[in-house]
């Protein structure tokens, strides 16, 4: 699992930053990626990443402010033009269906794939064999959601030294054992997966927040996450402005991370008043409270390692 930020800006793009969007790459597990928000210009930024738009599987929208949604119609159209034929699921608050369907209808856009738009309520919204995604309300000026992506436990590590001692040839046999399936060797011996496979690895957890004032809902959604993405629109000196406009400061984001007991915090959604060199100060403010904090950089991969729980 990797996170790629397509945009880390708030309100409008500037030379150094695009508006908000973050991709969760699931290439190794599913061969796809998921997108969280889609500000204007997102598809342009994707062209500078290894992610192929035709392999986008899901889009999660936190809220309907323009800096989070203006890129959706163009992205949906380009996915079709680039050969995307698999279904695409889009999740977000009420009003999302009208926004998308009106844009596609008025512009005469035809999609060559099934588009499933799901207007959500708090609670589990995706449950499959690999992941569960939960949504919860945040505290912004309009209805806004945060998302918690929980990976199911992964298979344990193969004991390759023992396999070599047992004379098991590397290759497909290893793959079968990794999947939990027993194998029979040419000499008739049965190798049981349970004997050569370590304990299951705990699934990784990523929490991605939309725009929000500090709220207990964000703490609950991020509880114990390996990685939290939280907005830090303003520095600590502008806490009053953040409260007025429904945002958080760098310090408040760090306080959420600390309260939730997460492993790592990535700050994003920076006001256009801050240039690239200014972000070090926001990062320092947050690190004074939660040391494992970084100001997210666009088009740089952030690996979600996961730790024993």
């Amino acid at each position: 699992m990797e996170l790629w930020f397509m945009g880390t800006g708030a309100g409008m793009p500037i030379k150094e930053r695009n508006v908000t969007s973050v991709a969760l790459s699931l290439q190794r597990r599913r061969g796809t990626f998921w997108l969280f928000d889609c500000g204007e210009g997102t598809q342009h930024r994707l062209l500078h990443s290894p992610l192929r738009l035709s392999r986008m599987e899901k889009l999660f929208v936190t809220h309907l402010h323009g800096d989070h949604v203006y890129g959706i119609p163009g992205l949906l159209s380009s996915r079709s033009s680039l050969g995307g034929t698999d279904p695409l699921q889009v999740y977000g608050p009420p009003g999302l269906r009208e926004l998308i369907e009106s844009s596609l209808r008025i512009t005469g856009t035809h999609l060559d794939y099934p588009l499933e738009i799901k207007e959500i309520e708090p609670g589990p919204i995706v449950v499959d064999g690999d992941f569960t995604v939960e949504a919860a309300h945040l505290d912004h000026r309009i209805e806004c959601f945060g998302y918690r992506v929980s990976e199911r436990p992964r298979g344990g590590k193969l004991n390759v030294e023992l396999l070599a001692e047992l004379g098991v040839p590397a290759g497909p046999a290893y793959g079968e054992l990794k999947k939990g399936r027993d194998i029979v060797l040419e000499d008739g011996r049965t190798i049981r997966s349970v004997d050569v496979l370590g304990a299951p690895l705990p699934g990784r957890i990523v929490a991605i927040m939309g725009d929000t004032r500090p709220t207990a809902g964000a703490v609950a959604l991020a509880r114990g996450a390996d990685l939290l993405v939280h907005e830090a629109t303003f520095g600590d000196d502008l806490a009053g402005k953040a409260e007025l406009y429904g945002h958080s400061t760098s310090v408040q984001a760090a306080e959420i991370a600390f309260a939730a007991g997460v492993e790592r915090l990535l700050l994003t959604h920076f006001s256009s008043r801050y240039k690239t060199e200014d972000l070090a100060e926001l990062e320092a403010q947050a690190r004074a409270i939660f040391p494992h904090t970084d100001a997210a950089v666009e088009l740089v991969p952030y690996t979600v390692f996961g730790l024993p729980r």
Side-chain angles (χ1 to χ4, degrees), residues 124-173:
I125 58 173
V126 175
V127 180
D128 64 24
D130 294 326
F131 297 96
T132 297
V133 181
E134 301 169 68
H137 277 135
L138 301 178
D139 181 12
H140 193 41
R141 289 179 292 146
I142 62 174
E143 186 172 24
C144 185
F145 287 92
Y147 296 100
R148 177 185 178 92
V149 180
S150 302
E151 181 186 37
R152 297 193 182 279
R154 296 164 285 156
K157 184 178 180 181
L158 278 176
N159 188 334
V160 293
E161 293 83 4
L162 177 57
L163 289 171
E165 292 177 10
L166 294 172
V168 179

Side-chain angles (χ1 to χ4, degrees), residues 272-305:
S272 59
R273 72 181 59 222
Y274 300 113
K275 306 306 180 186
T276 299
E277 59 270 21
D278 300 325
L279 299 185
E281 175 59 27
L282 271 63
E283 193 176 67
Q285 292 174 3
R287 285 180 176 176
I289 294 168
F290 189 78
H292 302 296
T293 299
D294 291 288
V297 178
E298 295 178 17
L299 298 176
V300 171
Y302 293 90
T303 301
V304 186
F305 291 103

Side-chain angles (χ1 to χ4, degrees), residues 195-218:
D195 295 332
V196 297
L197 200 59
L201 301 174
R204 293 159 288 187
I205 299 173
V206 177
I208 299 176
M209 303 297 154
D211 294 4
T212 186
R213 299 178 180 92
T215 175

Side-chain angles (χ1 to χ4, degrees), residues 55-280:
R55 300 303 299 156
M56 185 175 74
E57 183 182 11
K58 298 181 187 295
L59 168 61
F60 298 88
V61 176
T62 61
H63 65 296
L64 300 183
H65 277 156
D67 57 330
H68 295 254
V69 300
Y70 283 161
I72 292 177
L75 180 132
L76 296 181
S77 176
S78 293
R79 184 178 186 267
S80 188
S81 299
L82 291 170
T85 56
D86 293 333
L88 176 67
Q89 293 84 38
V90 182
Y91 305 83
L96 181 63
R97 179 182 298 279
E98 181 182 2
L99 172 71
I100 293 175
E101 291 183 345
S102 295
S103 297
L104 297 180
R105 184 184 69 255
I106 292 170
T107 58
T109 301
H110 172 74
L111 303 181
D112 292 323
Y113 56 86
L115 180 65
E116 304 169 20
I117 303 170
K118 303 180 181 183
E119 296 183 338
I120 63 173
E121 296 180 352
I125 58 173
V126 175
V127 180
D128 64 24
D130 294 326
F131 297 96
T132 297
V133 181
E134 301 169 68
H137 277 135
L138 301 178
D139 181 12
H140 193 41
R141 289 179 292 146
I142 62 174
E143 186 172 24
C144 185
F145 287 92
Y147 296 100
R148 177 185 178 92
V149 180
S150 302
E151 181 186 37
R152 297 193 182 279
R154 296 164 285 156
K157 184 178 180 181
L158 278 176
N159 188 334
V160 293
E161 293 83 4
L162 177 57
L163 289 171
E165 292 177 10
L166 294 172
V168 179
Y174 278 30
E176 291 298 299
L177 291 166
K178 182 72 173 176
K179 294 175 183 176
R181 300 169 183 164
D182 298 342
I183 63 169
V184 179
L185 301 180
E186 291 183 358
D187 61 12
R189 287 181 298 146
T190 297
I191 305 298
R192 299 193 310 158
S193 174
V194 68
D195 295 332
V196 297
L197 200 59
L201 301 174
R204 293 159 288 187
I205 299 173
V206 177
I208 299 176
M209 303 297 154
D211 294 4
T212 186
R213 299 178 180 92
T215 175
V219 176
L221 201 62
R223 183 78 63 191
D226 297 293
L227 184 61
L228 167 62
V229 177
H230 199 287
E231 69 128 297
T233 306
F234 299 108
D236 189 47
D237 59 316
L238 294 177
K241 194 176 189 69
E243 169 66 23
L244 179 64
Y245 289 101
H247 290 296
S248 296
T249 67
S250 53
V251 167
Q252 291 168 336
E255 290 170 342
I256 293 293
F258 181 82
V262 307
E263 293 294 335
R264 187 180 186 188
L265 169 63
L266 292 178
L267 303 176
T268 188
H269 201 265
F270 307 114
S271 167
S272 59
R273 72 181 59 222
Y274 300 113
K275 306 306 180 186
T276 299
E277 59 270 21
D278 300 325
L279 299 185

